[in-house]
Amino acid sequence: MEKLKIAGGYPLKGTVRISGAKNSAVALIPATILADSPVTIEGLPDISDVQILKALLEEIGGKVEFANNEMTVDPSSMISMPLPNGKVKKLRASYYLMGAMLGRFKKAVIGLPGGCYLGPRPIDQHIKGFEALGAKVTNEQGAIYLRADELKGARIYLDVVSVGATINIMLAAVRAKGRTIIENAAKEPEIIDVATLLTNMGAKIKGAGTDVIRIDGVDHLHGCRHTIIPDRIEAGTYLILGAAVGNGILIDNVIPNHLESLIAKLREMGVEIESGDDQVFVAPAQKLKAVDIKTLVYPGFPTDLQQPFTSLLTKAEGTSVVTDTIYSARFKHIDELRRMNANIKVEGRSAIVNGPVRLQGAKVKASDLRAGAALVIAGLMAEGITEITGIEHIDRGYSHLVEKLNGLGATVWREDLSQEEKEQMENA
Ligand code: EPU
Protein backbone atom coordinates (compact mmCIF):
# COMPACT_ATOMS: atom_id res chain seq x y z
CA MET A 1 0.00 0.00 0.00
CA GLU A 2 1.16 3.47 -0.87
CA LYS A 3 0.43 7.10 -0.09
CA LEU A 4 0.77 10.16 -2.28
CA LYS A 5 2.97 13.05 -1.23
CA ILE A 6 2.66 16.52 -2.70
CA ALA A 7 4.97 19.49 -2.18
CA GLY A 8 2.42 22.21 -2.81
CA GLY A 9 2.24 25.92 -3.35
CA TYR A 10 3.97 26.13 -6.74
CA PRO A 11 2.40 27.20 -10.04
CA LEU A 12 2.01 24.55 -12.77
CA LYS A 13 2.40 25.07 -16.48
CA GLY A 14 2.33 23.01 -19.68
CA THR A 15 0.20 20.51 -21.54
CA VAL A 16 -1.65 17.50 -20.16
CA ARG A 17 -3.18 14.79 -22.35
CA ILE A 18 -6.49 13.33 -21.24
CA SER A 19 -7.04 9.55 -21.23
CA GLY A 20 -10.08 7.55 -22.33
CA ALA A 21 -13.23 7.93 -20.24
CA LYS A 22 -13.41 5.69 -17.16
CA ASN A 23 -17.19 5.70 -17.06
CA SER A 24 -17.33 4.66 -20.72
CA ALA A 25 -14.59 2.06 -20.32
CA VAL A 26 -16.41 0.29 -17.51
CA ALA A 27 -19.46 -0.17 -19.76
CA LEU A 28 -17.70 -0.77 -23.09
CA ILE A 29 -15.67 -3.68 -21.71
CA PRO A 30 -18.74 -5.64 -20.45
CA ALA A 31 -20.55 -4.76 -23.72
CA THR A 32 -18.03 -6.92 -25.62
CA ILE A 33 -19.68 -9.99 -24.00
CA LEU A 34 -22.61 -9.47 -26.39
CA ALA A 35 -20.56 -10.09 -29.56
CA ASP A 36 -19.74 -13.44 -31.14
CA SER A 37 -16.33 -12.40 -32.53
CA PRO A 38 -13.43 -10.22 -31.25
CA VAL A 39 -14.04 -6.58 -30.32
CA THR A 40 -11.16 -4.09 -30.03
CA ILE A 41 -11.43 -0.94 -27.92
CA GLU A 42 -8.75 1.72 -28.46
CA GLY A 43 -7.65 4.39 -26.00
CA LEU A 44 -8.65 2.74 -22.71
CA PRO A 45 -7.27 4.44 -19.58
CA ASP A 46 -4.60 2.73 -17.43
CA ILE A 47 -6.73 2.46 -14.30
CA SER A 48 -7.44 -0.35 -11.88
CA ASP A 49 -11.16 -0.57 -12.81
CA VAL A 50 -10.13 -1.59 -16.35
CA GLN A 51 -7.76 -4.26 -14.99
CA ILE A 52 -10.47 -5.69 -12.74
CA LEU A 53 -12.97 -5.89 -15.62
CA LYS A 54 -10.34 -7.57 -17.80
CA ALA A 55 -9.86 -10.20 -15.07
CA LEU A 56 -13.65 -10.66 -14.76
CA LEU A 57 -14.02 -11.27 -18.51
CA GLU A 58 -11.21 -13.83 -18.27
CA GLU A 59 -12.98 -15.49 -15.34
CA ILE A 60 -16.03 -16.15 -17.55
CA GLY A 61 -13.85 -17.63 -20.31
CA GLY A 62 -13.07 -14.57 -22.47
CA LYS A 63 -9.69 -14.26 -24.20
CA VAL A 64 -8.44 -10.75 -23.51
CA GLU A 65 -5.34 -8.97 -24.75
CA PHE A 66 -4.52 -5.56 -23.35
CA ALA A 67 -1.47 -3.51 -24.37
CA ASN A 68 -0.82 0.13 -25.28
CA ASN A 69 -4.29 1.12 -24.08
CA GLU A 70 -5.92 -1.18 -26.61
CA MET A 71 -8.00 -4.14 -25.49
CA THR A 72 -9.15 -6.98 -27.72
CA VAL A 73 -11.78 -9.27 -26.28
CA ASP A 74 -12.66 -12.56 -27.94
CA PRO A 75 -15.98 -13.40 -26.31
CA SER A 76 -16.70 -16.54 -28.35
CA SER A 77 -15.81 -19.04 -25.60
CA MET A 78 -17.41 -17.16 -22.69
CA ILE A 79 -19.90 -18.97 -20.46
CA SER A 80 -22.44 -17.64 -17.98
CA MET A 81 -20.26 -18.35 -14.97
CA PRO A 82 -21.83 -17.14 -11.69
CA LEU A 83 -19.87 -14.24 -10.16
CA PRO A 84 -21.46 -13.86 -6.72
CA ASN A 85 -18.29 -12.74 -4.89
CA GLY A 86 -14.70 -11.69 -5.41
CA LYS A 87 -13.66 -9.04 -7.91
CA VAL A 88 -17.24 -7.96 -8.81
CA LYS A 89 -17.45 -6.40 -5.35
CA LYS A 90 -14.50 -4.13 -6.08
CA LEU A 91 -16.22 -1.79 -8.50
CA ARG A 92 -19.71 -0.48 -8.80
CA ALA A 93 -19.76 -0.77 -12.58
CA SER A 94 -19.64 -4.56 -12.34
CA TYR A 95 -23.43 -4.16 -12.52
CA TYR A 96 -22.97 -3.85 -16.31
CA LEU A 97 -22.13 -7.56 -16.31
CA MET A 98 -25.79 -8.15 -15.39
CA GLY A 99 -27.17 -6.49 -18.53
CA ALA A 100 -24.50 -7.89 -20.85
CA MET A 101 -24.64 -11.49 -19.53
CA LEU A 102 -28.43 -11.45 -19.41
CA GLY A 103 -28.47 -10.15 -23.01
CA ARG A 104 -26.15 -12.88 -24.24
CA PHE A 105 -26.87 -15.92 -22.04
CA LYS A 106 -30.37 -15.07 -20.69
CA LYS A 107 -28.97 -15.71 -17.23
CA ALA A 108 -26.43 -14.24 -14.83
CA VAL A 109 -25.43 -14.23 -11.16
CA ILE A 110 -23.59 -11.10 -10.12
CA GLY A 111 -22.59 -10.01 -6.59
CA LEU A 112 -24.02 -6.66 -5.56
CA PRO A 113 -21.54 -4.01 -6.62
CA GLY A 114 -19.08 -2.12 -4.42
CA GLY A 115 -17.45 1.17 -5.41
CA CYS A 116 -17.40 4.59 -3.74
CA TYR A 117 -19.80 5.26 -0.87
CA LEU A 118 -21.63 8.46 -1.79
CA GLY A 119 -24.90 7.83 0.05
CA PRO A 120 -27.47 5.19 -0.88
CA ARG A 121 -26.95 3.92 -4.44
CA PRO A 122 -29.87 1.63 -5.27
CA ILE A 123 -30.16 -0.32 -8.54
CA ASP A 124 -33.95 -0.64 -8.54
CA GLN A 125 -34.25 1.04 -11.96
CA HIS A 126 -31.82 -1.46 -13.53
CA ILE A 127 -33.91 -4.31 -12.10
CA LYS A 128 -37.18 -2.71 -13.18
CA GLY A 129 -35.78 -2.63 -16.73
CA PHE A 130 -34.59 -6.26 -16.70
CA GLU A 131 -37.97 -7.41 -15.37
CA ALA A 132 -39.82 -5.43 -18.04
CA LEU A 133 -37.75 -7.30 -20.65
CA GLY A 134 -38.95 -10.61 -19.17
CA ALA A 135 -36.24 -11.54 -16.67
CA LYS A 136 -36.92 -12.98 -13.26
CA VAL A 137 -34.66 -11.17 -10.79
CA THR A 138 -33.98 -12.22 -7.20
CA ASN A 139 -31.53 -11.08 -4.57
CA GLU A 140 -29.99 -14.00 -2.70
CA GLN A 141 -27.33 -13.46 -0.05
CA GLY A 142 -25.94 -10.31 -1.59
CA ALA A 143 -25.96 -11.51 -5.21
CA ILE A 144 -28.46 -10.73 -7.96
CA TYR A 145 -29.80 -13.78 -9.85
CA LEU A 146 -31.22 -13.04 -13.31
CA ARG A 147 -32.90 -15.54 -15.60
CA ALA A 148 -35.17 -15.28 -18.63
CA ASP A 149 -36.61 -17.88 -21.03
CA GLU A 150 -36.71 -15.15 -23.61
CA LEU A 151 -36.05 -11.40 -23.55
CA LYS A 152 -38.77 -9.34 -25.22
CA GLY A 153 -38.63 -5.63 -26.04
CA ALA A 154 -40.68 -3.38 -23.74
CA ARG A 155 -41.46 0.27 -23.02
CA ILE A 156 -39.56 1.25 -19.86
CA TYR A 157 -39.97 4.59 -18.10
CA LEU A 158 -37.14 5.33 -15.66
CA ASP A 159 -38.47 6.88 -12.45
CA VAL A 160 -34.99 8.28 -11.77
CA VAL A 161 -32.66 9.51 -14.52
CA SER A 162 -29.85 6.99 -14.18
CA VAL A 163 -26.71 6.54 -16.27
CA GLY A 164 -26.22 2.96 -15.06
CA ALA A 165 -29.83 1.88 -15.59
CA THR A 166 -29.96 3.43 -19.08
CA ILE A 167 -26.79 1.61 -20.20
CA ASN A 168 -27.67 -1.65 -18.46
CA ILE A 169 -31.11 -1.79 -20.11
CA MET A 170 -29.51 -1.03 -23.51
CA LEU A 171 -27.10 -3.95 -22.97
CA ALA A 172 -29.92 -6.34 -22.09
CA ALA A 173 -32.21 -5.12 -24.90
CA VAL A 174 -29.94 -5.12 -27.97
CA ARG A 175 -30.38 -8.88 -28.46
CA ALA A 176 -33.99 -9.07 -27.17
CA LYS A 177 -36.87 -9.80 -29.52
CA GLY A 178 -38.64 -6.70 -30.81
CA ARG A 179 -38.50 -3.04 -29.83
CA THR A 180 -37.46 -1.55 -26.49
CA ILE A 181 -38.13 2.09 -25.69
CA ILE A 182 -36.34 3.66 -22.72
CA GLU A 183 -38.10 6.84 -21.61
CA ASN A 184 -36.60 9.42 -19.26
CA ALA A 185 -33.20 7.99 -20.21
CA ALA A 186 -29.96 9.64 -19.05
CA LYS A 187 -28.14 11.72 -21.70
CA GLU A 188 -24.49 11.52 -20.60
CA PRO A 189 -21.84 11.31 -23.36
CA GLU A 190 -20.82 7.86 -22.05
CA ILE A 191 -24.27 6.56 -23.07
CA ILE A 192 -23.69 7.74 -26.64
CA ASP A 193 -20.26 6.07 -26.58
CA VAL A 194 -21.72 2.72 -25.52
CA ALA A 195 -24.51 3.04 -28.13
CA THR A 196 -21.86 3.77 -30.79
CA LEU A 197 -19.91 0.62 -29.90
CA LEU A 198 -23.10 -1.49 -29.88
CA THR A 199 -24.16 0.00 -33.23
CA ASN A 200 -20.73 -0.84 -34.68
CA MET A 201 -21.34 -4.38 -33.40
CA GLY A 202 -24.59 -4.50 -35.42
CA ALA A 203 -27.15 -3.28 -32.87
CA LYS A 204 -30.04 -1.02 -33.90
CA ILE A 205 -30.21 1.92 -31.48
CA LYS A 206 -31.71 5.38 -32.04
CA GLY A 207 -31.87 8.37 -29.75
CA ALA A 208 -28.84 7.77 -27.47
CA GLY A 209 -28.01 11.18 -25.98
CA THR A 210 -31.70 12.16 -25.83
CA ASP A 211 -34.19 11.13 -23.18
CA VAL A 212 -35.93 8.56 -25.41
CA ILE A 213 -33.84 5.63 -26.71
CA ARG A 214 -35.31 3.13 -29.17
CA ILE A 215 -33.68 -0.26 -29.62
CA ASP A 216 -34.72 -2.87 -32.17
CA GLY A 217 -33.35 -6.22 -31.05
CA VAL A 218 -31.11 -8.31 -33.34
CA ASP A 219 -30.14 -11.99 -33.06
CA HIS A 220 -26.37 -11.60 -33.22
CA LEU A 221 -23.74 -8.95 -32.69
CA HIS A 222 -20.32 -9.12 -34.33
CA GLY A 223 -16.85 -7.87 -33.52
CA CYS A 224 -15.62 -4.38 -34.45
CA ARG A 225 -13.07 -1.71 -33.55
CA HIS A 226 -14.04 1.26 -31.41
CA THR A 227 -12.22 4.33 -30.06
CA ILE A 228 -13.33 5.48 -26.63
CA ILE A 229 -14.22 9.13 -25.92
CA PRO A 230 -11.91 11.25 -23.75
CA ASP A 231 -12.65 11.39 -20.03
CA ARG A 232 -14.63 14.57 -19.39
CA ILE A 233 -14.25 14.18 -15.62
CA GLU A 234 -10.47 13.78 -15.80
CA ALA A 235 -10.36 16.78 -18.18
CA GLY A 236 -12.58 18.75 -15.78
CA THR A 237 -10.29 17.87 -12.89
CA TYR A 238 -7.28 19.33 -14.78
CA LEU A 239 -9.32 22.39 -15.76
CA ILE A 240 -10.11 23.03 -12.10
CA LEU A 241 -6.45 22.41 -11.22
CA GLY A 242 -5.49 24.91 -13.96
CA ALA A 243 -7.72 27.54 -12.34
CA ALA A 244 -6.40 26.71 -8.87
CA VAL A 245 -2.62 26.56 -9.45
CA GLY A 246 -2.07 26.99 -13.17
CA ASN A 247 0.28 29.38 -14.83
CA GLY A 248 -1.18 28.50 -18.23
CA ILE A 249 -2.34 24.89 -18.72
CA LEU A 250 -3.37 23.35 -22.03
CA ILE A 251 -5.67 20.35 -21.76
CA ASP A 252 -5.35 18.16 -24.83
CA ASN A 253 -7.64 15.38 -26.17
CA VAL A 254 -10.90 16.71 -24.79
CA ILE A 255 -14.39 17.37 -26.19
CA PRO A 256 -15.03 20.93 -24.92
CA ASN A 257 -18.83 20.57 -25.41
CA HIS A 258 -18.84 17.89 -22.72
CA LEU A 259 -17.54 20.45 -20.22
CA GLU A 260 -19.81 23.40 -20.92
CA SER A 261 -21.32 23.62 -17.43
CA LEU A 262 -17.89 23.58 -15.77
CA ILE A 263 -16.38 26.08 -18.21
CA ALA A 264 -19.36 28.43 -17.64
CA LYS A 265 -18.85 28.27 -13.86
CA LEU A 266 -15.10 28.83 -14.11
CA ARG A 267 -15.71 31.88 -16.32
CA GLU A 268 -18.24 33.15 -13.78
CA MET A 269 -15.44 32.95 -11.18
CA GLY A 270 -13.25 35.11 -13.41
CA VAL A 271 -11.10 32.39 -15.02
CA GLU A 272 -10.15 32.95 -18.66
CA ILE A 273 -10.64 29.85 -20.80
CA GLU A 274 -10.14 29.34 -24.53
CA SER A 275 -11.69 26.31 -26.22
CA GLY A 276 -10.43 24.77 -29.46
CA ASP A 277 -11.63 21.67 -31.33
CA ASP A 278 -10.08 19.15 -28.96
CA GLN A 279 -8.15 21.37 -26.55
CA VAL A 280 -8.95 23.80 -23.75
CA PHE A 281 -6.50 26.41 -22.41
CA VAL A 282 -6.81 27.75 -18.87
CA ALA A 283 -5.04 31.09 -18.42
CA PRO A 284 -3.42 31.92 -15.07
CA ALA A 285 -6.26 33.10 -12.82
CA GLN A 286 -5.90 36.25 -10.72
CA LYS A 287 -8.70 37.01 -8.30
CA LEU A 288 -11.44 34.37 -8.09
CA LYS A 289 -15.06 35.19 -7.25
CA ALA A 290 -17.24 32.89 -5.14
CA VAL A 291 -19.97 31.04 -7.07
CA ASP A 292 -22.77 28.61 -6.19
CA ILE A 293 -23.03 25.25 -7.91
CA LYS A 294 -25.79 22.67 -7.96
CA THR A 295 -25.04 19.24 -9.43
CA LEU A 296 -27.54 17.98 -12.01
CA VAL A 297 -27.80 15.25 -14.60
CA TYR A 298 -25.99 15.95 -17.89
CA PRO A 299 -25.65 18.59 -19.30
CA GLY A 300 -25.89 20.15 -15.82
CA PHE A 301 -22.89 20.49 -13.50
CA PRO A 302 -21.53 16.92 -12.94
CA THR A 303 -21.61 15.52 -9.42
CA ASP A 304 -18.22 13.93 -10.19
CA LEU A 305 -16.62 17.41 -10.35
CA GLN A 306 -18.35 18.82 -7.30
CA GLN A 307 -15.62 17.60 -4.91
CA PRO A 308 -12.60 18.87 -6.91
CA PHE A 309 -14.43 22.17 -7.51
CA THR A 310 -14.90 22.64 -3.75
CA SER A 311 -11.11 22.70 -3.30
CA LEU A 312 -10.87 25.53 -5.84
CA LEU A 313 -13.64 27.47 -4.09
CA THR A 314 -11.52 27.75 -0.90
CA LYS A 315 -9.46 30.27 -2.88
CA ALA A 316 -12.42 32.36 -4.05
CA GLU A 317 -13.42 35.66 -2.43
CA GLY A 318 -16.75 35.34 -0.58
CA THR A 319 -19.20 32.55 0.24
CA SER A 320 -19.94 29.73 -2.21
CA VAL A 321 -22.66 27.11 -1.80
CA VAL A 322 -22.14 23.64 -3.33
CA THR A 323 -25.33 21.55 -3.49
CA ASP A 324 -25.29 17.91 -4.60
CA THR A 325 -28.75 16.90 -5.81
CA ILE A 326 -27.52 13.51 -7.12
CA TYR A 327 -25.80 12.00 -4.05
CA SER A 328 -26.77 12.86 -0.48
CA ALA A 329 -23.44 12.05 1.19
CA ARG A 330 -20.76 13.08 -1.28
CA PHE A 331 -19.06 15.31 1.27
CA LYS A 332 -16.45 13.05 2.85
CA HIS A 333 -13.69 15.28 1.48
CA ILE A 334 -14.88 18.26 3.52
CA ASP A 335 -13.46 17.14 6.89
CA GLU A 336 -10.12 16.52 5.17
CA LEU A 337 -10.15 19.94 3.50
CA ARG A 338 -10.85 21.44 6.93
CA ARG A 339 -7.70 19.76 8.25
CA MET A 340 -5.93 21.74 5.55
CA ASN A 341 -7.37 25.02 6.94
CA ALA A 342 -10.43 25.30 4.67
CA ASN A 343 -13.42 27.13 6.11
CA ILE A 344 -16.32 24.89 5.03
CA LYS A 345 -19.41 23.57 6.76
CA VAL A 346 -21.91 21.01 5.55
CA GLU A 347 -25.62 21.69 5.93
CA GLY A 348 -27.83 18.91 4.57
CA ARG A 349 -26.99 18.41 0.89
CA SER A 350 -24.89 21.60 0.71
CA ALA A 351 -21.35 22.61 1.58
CA ILE A 352 -20.84 26.28 2.42
CA VAL A 353 -17.36 27.45 1.56
CA ASN A 354 -15.94 30.72 2.89
CA GLY A 355 -12.88 32.11 1.20
CA PRO A 356 -10.29 32.99 0.46
CA VAL A 357 -8.06 30.94 2.74
CA ARG A 358 -4.49 29.72 2.27
CA LEU A 359 -4.56 25.94 2.49
CA GLN A 360 -1.85 24.23 4.56
CA GLY A 361 -0.32 20.83 3.84
CA ALA A 362 -1.63 18.05 6.12
CA LYS A 363 -2.07 14.28 6.42
CA VAL A 364 -5.42 13.46 4.83
CA LYS A 365 -7.34 10.44 3.60
CA ALA A 366 -9.14 9.91 0.31
CA SER A 367 -12.45 8.21 1.09
CA ASP A 368 -13.55 7.89 -2.56
CA LEU A 369 -12.29 8.58 -6.07
CA ARG A 370 -13.32 12.21 -6.54
CA ALA A 371 -12.63 13.05 -2.88
CA GLY A 372 -9.10 11.92 -3.74
CA ALA A 373 -9.01 14.28 -6.73
CA ALA A 374 -10.22 17.11 -4.50
CA LEU A 375 -7.38 16.42 -2.04
CA VAL A 376 -4.77 16.28 -4.81
CA ILE A 377 -5.86 19.73 -6.02
CA ALA A 378 -5.90 21.00 -2.43
CA GLY A 379 -2.41 19.55 -1.89
CA LEU A 380 -1.10 21.36 -4.95
CA MET A 381 -2.68 24.62 -3.70
CA ALA A 382 -1.42 24.21 -0.11
CA GLU A 383 1.75 25.49 1.48
CA GLY A 384 4.03 22.63 2.52
CA ILE A 385 3.71 18.88 2.22
CA THR A 386 0.38 17.03 1.92
CA GLU A 387 0.20 13.27 2.44
CA ILE A 388 -2.80 11.46 1.01
CA THR A 389 -3.68 7.89 2.01
CA GLY A 390 -6.46 5.83 0.43
CA ILE A 391 -4.94 6.41 -3.01
CA GLU A 392 -6.28 3.08 -4.29
CA HIS A 393 -9.50 5.07 -4.80
CA ILE A 394 -7.64 7.57 -6.99
CA ASP A 395 -5.99 4.75 -8.97
CA ARG A 396 -9.46 3.50 -9.91
CA GLY A 397 -10.05 6.53 -12.09
CA TYR A 398 -7.00 8.71 -12.84
CA SER A 399 -4.57 7.32 -15.39
CA HIS A 400 -0.88 8.13 -14.74
CA LEU A 401 -1.77 10.88 -12.26
CA VAL A 402 1.73 11.32 -10.82
CA GLU A 403 3.38 11.42 -14.25
CA LYS A 404 0.82 13.87 -15.61
CA LEU A 405 1.15 16.22 -12.62
CA ASN A 406 4.94 16.10 -12.61
CA GLY A 407 4.83 16.77 -16.37
CA LEU A 408 3.18 20.08 -15.46
CA GLY A 409 6.00 20.88 -13.04
CA ALA A 410 4.46 19.56 -9.82
CA THR A 411 6.42 17.68 -7.16
CA VAL A 412 4.30 14.63 -6.43
CA TRP A 413 5.47 11.15 -5.49
CA ARG A 414 4.31 7.84 -4.09
CA GLU A 415 5.74 6.32 -0.91
CA ASP A 416 5.08 3.03 0.84
CA LEU A 417 2.89 3.30 3.93
CA SER A 418 4.68 2.86 7.25
CA GLN A 419 3.72 -0.19 9.35
CA GLU A 420 1.72 2.07 11.67
CA GLU A 421 -0.16 3.62 8.73
CA LYS A 422 -0.90 0.18 7.31
CA GLU A 423 -2.39 -0.90 10.63
CA GLN A 424 -4.45 2.29 10.82
CA MET A 425 -5.81 1.69 7.30
CA GLU A 426 -6.64 -1.93 8.09
CA ASN A 427 -8.47 -0.99 11.30
CA ALA A 428 -10.41 1.88 9.68
N1 EPU B 1 -30.54 5.79 -8.68
C1 EPU B 1 -31.65 5.16 -8.15
N2 EPU B 1 -31.99 3.92 -8.64
C2 EPU B 1 -31.26 3.29 -9.59
C3 EPU B 1 -30.12 3.93 -10.12
C4 EPU B 1 -29.80 5.18 -9.63
O1 EPU B 1 -32.34 5.70 -7.28
O2 EPU B 1 -31.64 2.18 -9.97
C5 EPU B 1 -30.17 7.14 -8.19
C6 EPU B 1 -28.79 7.14 -7.55
O3 EPU B 1 -28.85 6.78 -6.19
C7 EPU B 1 -28.36 8.58 -7.78
C8 EPU B 1 -28.98 8.93 -9.12
O4 EPU B 1 -30.02 7.98 -9.32
O5 EPU B 1 -28.92 9.41 -6.79
C9 EPU B 1 -28.04 8.88 -10.31
O6 EPU B 1 -27.36 7.64 -10.33
P1 EPU B 1 -26.81 6.95 -11.66
O7 EPU B 1 -27.45 5.64 -11.80
O8 EPU B 1 -26.90 7.92 -12.80
O9 EPU B 1 -25.32 6.74 -11.26
P2 EPU B 1 -24.39 5.53 -11.64
O10 EPU B 1 -24.75 5.06 -13.00
O11 EPU B 1 -24.37 4.53 -10.55
C10 EPU B 1 -22.59 6.95 -12.85
C11 EPU B 1 -21.12 7.15 -12.69
C12 EPU B 1 -20.83 7.94 -11.43
C13 EPU B 1 -21.56 9.27 -11.52
C14 EPU B 1 -23.06 9.03 -11.75
C15 EPU B 1 -23.84 10.31 -11.96
C16 EPU B 1 -20.30 5.13 -13.67
C17 EPU B 1 -19.63 3.82 -13.49
N3 EPU B 1 -20.49 5.85 -12.59
O12 EPU B 1 -23.00 6.22 -11.68
O13 EPU B 1 -19.44 8.17 -11.44
O14 EPU B 1 -21.38 9.98 -10.32
O15 EPU B 1 -23.24 8.21 -12.91
O16 EPU B 1 -23.36 11.01 -13.05
O17 EPU B 1 -20.60 5.52 -14.78
C18 EPU B 1 -17.34 8.59 -10.50
O18 EPU B 1 -16.89 8.52 -11.65
O19 EPU B 1 -16.67 8.99 -9.52
C19 EPU B 1 -18.72 8.19 -10.28
C20 EPU B 1 -19.20 7.93 -9.06
Side-chain angles (χ1 to χ4, degrees):
M1 276 176 147
E2 289 177 318
K3 61 188 169 191
L4 201 64
K5 286 182 100 171
I6 301 176
Y10 302 102
L12 307 189
K13 193 180 165 83
T15 301
V16 60
R17 189 173 167 81
I18 299 307
S19 301
K22 163 191 167 272
N23 287 346
S24 269
V26 296
L28 296 172
I29 297 169
T32 62
I33 294 173
L34 288 156
D36 50 21
S37 50
V39 178
T40 299
I41 307 169
E42 286 173 22
L44 286 170
D46 286 316
I47 54 174
S48 57
D49 274 11
V50 165
Q51 293 295 347
I52 295 170
L53 282 167
K54 172 180 180 280
L56 282 165
L57 293 194
E58 285 167 343
E59 244 176 79
I60 61 168
K63 293 192 190 79
V64 189
E65 281 167 26
F66 184 38
N68 303 322
N69 305 96
E70 185 171 302
M71 185 181 286
T72 298
V73 181
D74 180 351
S76 53
S77 50
M78 285 179 180
I79 53 164
S80 184
M81 171 94 99
L83 298 168
N85 287 305
K87 293 194 183 67
V88 278
K89 302 266 184 193
K90 287 202 169 165
L91 77 162
R92 181 160 175 82
S94 53
Y95 55 40
Y96 290 133
L97 295 168
M98 294 180 197
M101 286 172 79
L102 182 66
R104 169 144 173 214
F105 304 112
K106 311 287 176 281
K107 62 175 182 176
V109 177
I110 308 293
L112 273 170
C116 298
Y117 181 77
L118 314 171
R121 297 178 78 183
I123 56 164
D124 54 303
Q125 298 304 305
H126 305 230
I127 290 170
K128 171 180 164 174
F130 298 145
E131 286 177 338
L133 295 171
K136 190 168 178 301
V137 185
T138 53
N139 178 348
E140 290 169 36
Q141 293 171 335
I144 301 288
Y145 286 65
L146 306 113
R147 175 175 286 280
D149 294 331
E150 186 184 46
L151 291 173
K152 270 199 195 148
R155 182 182 281 269
I156 299 154
Y157 179 88
L158 295 181
D159 304 317
V160 182
V161 181
S162 158
V163 177
T166 303
I167 293 179
N168 232 343
I169 296 169
M170 276 195 325
L171 295 173
V174 281
R175 288 179 60 169
K177 287 219 167 358
R179 173 170 285 193
T180 297
I181 299 177
I182 310 173
E183 292 173 322
N184 202 26
K187 298 185 276 198
E188 269 69 0
E190 293 74 22
I191 292 163
I192 305 178
D193 203 21
V194 177
T196 306
L197 169 74
L198 292 169
T199 304
N200 291 341
M201 284 160 64
K204 297 207 166 89
I205 304 174
K206 289 213 172 97
T210 75
D211 55 11
V212 181
I213 302 179
R214 287 186 181 74
I215 302 157
D216 284 310
V218 295
D219 286 341
H220 291 286
L221 294 177
H222 50 75
C224 68
R225 178 171 274 274
H226 176 80
T227 305
I228 193 170
I229 56 169
D231 195 315
R232 65 193 166 96
I233 306 300
E234 189 198 15
T237 304
Y238 284 100
L239 255 158
I240 294 169
L241 184 151
V245 292
N247 195 14
I249 291 191
L250 182 68
I251 295 144
D252 186 32
N253 188 37
V254 46
I255 301 176
N257 270 354
H258 290 173
L259 288 157
E260 267 175 8
S261 56
L262 172 66
I263 292 174
K265 273 296 160 190
L266 288 171
R267 286 190 173 136
E268 208 179 306
M269 291 181 78
V271 183
E272 274 179 44
I273 293 176
E274 287 165 37
S275 292
D277 288 343
D278 62 354
Q279 293 185 324
V280 177
F281 179 73
V282 192
Q286 306 303 328
K287 227 175 173 197
L288 297 173
K289 284 189 278 247
V291 293
D292 294 343
I293 58 165
K294 192 180 259 187
T295 67
L296 291 169
V297 294
Y298 188 81
F301 194 95
T303 169
D304 295 341
L305 289 175
Q306 172 265 105
Q307 293 159 294
F309 201 83
T310 302
S311 299
L312 170 67
L313 288 175
T314 63
K315 213 182 155 179
E317 180 102 41
T319 302
S320 305
V321 181
V322 176
T323 305
D324 199 319
T325 71
I326 312 288
Y327 293 116
S328 56
R330 207 169 195 175
F331 289 118
K332 290 245 170 79
H333 56 305
I334 301 291
D335 280 346
E336 306 305 297
L337 289 176
R338 292 210 325 229
R339 278 179 214 276
M340 298 178 73
N341 197 36
N343 180 351
I344 311 179
K345 62 181 177 192
V346 176
E347 282 182 9
R349 297 188 88 129
S350 298
I352 296 147
V353 188
N354 284 301
V357 295
R358 188 72 217 258
L359 296 179
Q360 302 295 327
K363 289 187 178 186
V364 289
K365 186 173 157 201
S367 54
D368 58 79
L369 169 59
R370 309 300 171 187
L375 297 176
V376 169
I377 292 176
L380 292 165
M381 292 165 74
E383 231 162 59
I385 305 282
T386 294
E387 281 190 30
I388 307 175
T389 51
I391 60 169
E392 56 286 355
H393 292 293
I394 306 178
D395 292 336
R396 288 192 35 231
Y398 287 91
S399 200
H400 300 292
L401 179 76
V402 170
E403 294 83 344
K404 288 186 188 187
L405 292 175
N406 289 342
L408 294 171
T411 306
V412 179
W413 68 102
R414 286 169 183 268
E415 258 179 32
D416 284 335
L417 292 187
S418 65
Q419 192 53 36
E420 194 188 334
E421 285 166 332
K422 270 188 208 154
E423 281 162 18
Q424 274 170 7
M425 296 292 288
E426 275 152 22
N427 295 333

